[in-house]
Amino acid sequence: MSREAEVRHHADQEVGKSFPELLEKARTAEVALRRTQASPASPEELRAAGLAFDRALTEALRGAEASQRAAFGIKSYDDRIRRRKGRATTKGAEWTAEVNRLRTLREQNRLTGIVRVPRLVPASERPEAAAAPLRVAGAR
């Protein structure tokens, strides 16, 4: 076990302690997104709520990943076999399932929960070529 592995393990334990609060923030952001989707909201509001939920999920995922690494044990930071054995423990399997659940939820939100809003380009920024009439080959 290296000194670096020990430091990383303690850092992951500290980040993992904040997981319940991060998960609660993600739940709150999801409720806000669902309320916004249920109300007659503008696309900009829907996009903002979707992005807020994405940020909250990403933070919760980081906390879950840190807890997962800490659950695998100090030796797992230096040895891939130890990481594999760590996944086979009860705690390791629970954290692995939680990480997978959060990743799936985040990907689902990125695919369907974030509304795409067309970007408006002011006339002053449009290229001149777009304003010129199109010329067809062979036409005079």
Side-chain angles (χ1 to χ4, degrees), residues 2-120:
S2 67
R3 175 76 179 131
E4 180 185 343
E6 190 175 334
V7 169
R8 289 174 58 202
H9 179 71
H10 290 300
D12 280 342
Q13 284 178 326
E14 289 301 313
V15 172
K17 287 179 184 176
S18 64
F19 176 72
E21 293 86 28
L22 295 172
L23 189 61
E24 187 56 38
K25 285 181 185 177
R27 285 184 180 136
T28 304
E30 182 180 18
V31 167
L33 173 63
R34 302 298 175 229
R35 278 194 190 130
T36 306
Q37 288 173 336
S39 70
S42 69
E44 290 81 13
E45 292 171 334
L46 288 169
R47 179 171 176 78
L51 290 173
F53 183 43
D54 183 66
R55 282 190 296 274
L57 275 175
T58 300
E59 290 300 316
L61 180 60
R62 285 186 184 139
E65 288 171 339
S67 293
Q68 178 189 35
R69 288 189 300 269
F72 291 169
I74 295 175
K75 293 180 182 179
S76 68
Y77 289 89
D78 293 333
D79 186 10
R80 67 179 182 84
I81 302 297
R82 289 290 186 171
R83 270 191 301 278
R84 219 170 117 198
K85 286 182 176 182
R87 273 191 192 95
T89 65
T90 304
K91 271 288 204 210
E94 288 173 4
W95 280 111
T96 300
E98 183 68 17
V99 166
N100 290 338
R101 185 184 72 80
L102 288 172
R103 279 188 186 141
T104 302
L105 190 58
R106 185 178 68 171
E107 285 304 311
Q108 180 183 12
N109 180 58
R110 286 182 176 179
L111 290 172
T112 61
I114 300 175
V115 175
R116 293 183 181 205
V117 178
R119 198 172 55 133
L120 298 177

